[in-house]
Amino acid sequence: MTMIVADRTPRTHSTERHAGGLGRVLSTLALWSFRDRTRRRLQALDSHLLNDIGLSRDDVRAEGEKPFWRA
């Protein structure tokens, strides 16, 4: 049996090579983009899939209302 696992974590290794603040800024922007994209995808799931992962529609709504900069 073959299992394919998608790693969707933000890629920061190339930005960490930049010296000082630029690398931190780029890493932060990548993280914010990842959070926004993840929250939008979570909101697109139907109730059956949310139930499978143990979330309610209210949980998803609360997560989706967070601004992208808040974890």
Side-chain angles (χ1 to χ4, degrees), residues 54-71:
L55 294 175
S56 70
R57 185 59 59 192
D58 288 336
D59 295 332
V60 172
R61 190 173 299 114
E63 186 65 28
E65 289 175 352
K66 290 181 183 178
F68 60 86
W69 61 84
R70 190 176 330 149

Side-chain angles (χ1 to χ4, degrees), residues 7-62:
D7 180 12
R8 301 288 185 186
T9 56
R11 301 291 182 215
T12 58
H13 62 277
S14 63
T15 58
E16 289 171 352
R17 287 186 232 150
H18 294 284
L22 180 60
R24 285 190 299 276
V25 168
L26 293 176
S27 293
T28 299
L29 291 174
L31 176 61
W32 287 352
S33 176
F34 175 75
R35 285 181 187 160
D36 182 60
R37 191 172 51 254
T38 302
R39 288 174 178 155
R40 283 187 280 122
R41 288 179 180 167
L42 187 61
Q43 290 173 326
L45 296 178
D46 65 22
S47 296
H48 176 74
L49 291 173
L50 292 175
N51 189 43
D52 283 351
I53 61 173
L55 294 175
S56 70
R57 185 59 59 192
D58 288 336
D59 295 332
V60 172
R61 190 173 299 114

